[in-house]
Amino acid sequence: MSENKTGGRRAVGIAALLLAVAAVCLWGSSRMTWVTVTSSDGLGEDRTTNLDGGTWAAATTPLALVLVAAIAAAFAVRGWMVRVLGVLVAVVAVVAAIPAIGLLTGEASNERAGDIAGFDRVGTQVTAVDVSTAPALLVLFGSVVALAAAIVLIRKPTAAGGLSSKYDSPAARREAATKRGADDGKAEPPTQRMLWDALDAGEDPTVEGAGDGPASGGSSPRADDVSKDTGPAGTRPEGE
């Protein structure tokens, strides 16, 4: 059990590191120039316009933020939700790689560049398009790293992970401690937090069987009925 827990924590740490690297790659690429467009309006000299990743591939920055959010989610979710998170990260990796692959395969035509730059609305014609491969390769690297993080999350042991037990309710902590004691075949010594929980519930944790007292709903032994008529004061009851 402890080996699974250690392996699960290690997997979360590795996945978080990979997600951070992938997010930095996507964010950095969104600030770099992807395409340089040379245009002319027929009235003056040619104009040069730089299209960065946030303009040419508008989804790059939001996808980088999604990967950052996935880091926090990797530490919060548990069980089958970890695998769902891994699948979502894989989808983000594929979506981020699509515009980079398109740029490297010659998708940056004059028409597309002019449309993204908004030249069609001002009557300007594109005369040349210069493509930068470095930002596209950086996105591809980040996508591969994010895909590796997704694989780590999908294969992560499910016995560990999730939020710490300190966020559980007092009743849940007492129940978990009781279950662990039953599984081990012996009672587990109460922790300081469990003692405080018992005091909050109106029980005395120092008394054995305190849970059967009045505070926990048990019935207290009834005192002897002293209302019986014993006769006048100073006299003995009849029959003695």
Side-chain angles (χ1 to χ4, degrees), residues 2-207:
S2 91
E3 291 182 359
N4 287 340
K5 186 174 294 187
T6 303
R9 291 173 180 172
R10 185 183 299 110
V12 171
I14 294 174
L17 179 61
L18 294 174
L19 289 172
V21 172
V24 170
C25 290
L26 266 61
W27 182 86
S29 177
S30 68
R31 298 298 184 268
M32 299 171 64
T33 299
W34 284 46
V35 177
T36 301
V37 182
T38 303
S39 60
S40 174
D41 56 4
L43 300 176
E45 296 181 355
D46 292 348
R47 184 176 62 177
T48 300
T49 304
N50 295 325
L51 301 179
D52 58 16
T55 303
W56 184 266
T60 305
T61 301
L63 291 178
L65 296 178
V66 171
L67 293 180
V68 173
I71 297 175
F75 289 98
V77 299
R78 66 178 67 188
W80 61 271
M81 289 296 296
V82 178
R83 292 188 171 89
V84 173
L85 177 63
V87 173
L88 293 177
V89 171
V91 172
V92 170
V94 173
V95 173
I98 291 176
I101 294 175
L103 185 70
L104 295 175
T105 55
E107 188 179 294
S109 61
N110 290 0
E111 292 78 10
R112 177 174 172 78
D115 183 55
I116 294 178
F119 293 156
D120 290 343
R121 296 188 296 271
V122 295
T124 302
Q125 294 183 351
V126 176
T127 59
V129 173
D130 184 21
V131 175
S132 299
T133 60
L137 293 176
L138 185 60
V139 168
L140 289 180
F141 176 75
S143 299
V144 172
V145 173
L147 191 60
I151 295 174
V152 172
L153 290 174
I154 293 174
R155 300 183 60 182
K156 172 183 174 293
T158 57
L163 295 175
S164 172
S165 60
K166 68 180 180 179
Y167 297 105
D168 294 338
S169 63
R173 285 195 295 269
R174 288 196 297 269
E175 182 179 356
T178 303
K179 184 177 180 181
R180 286 195 300 270
D183 293 340
D184 296 339
K186 59 183 180 179
E188 180 180 288
T191 63
Q192 184 177 3
R193 185 58 183 265
M194 294 169 58
L195 296 177
W196 281 111
D197 292 339
L199 291 174
D200 292 339
E203 302 173 1
D204 186 355
T206 62
V207 179

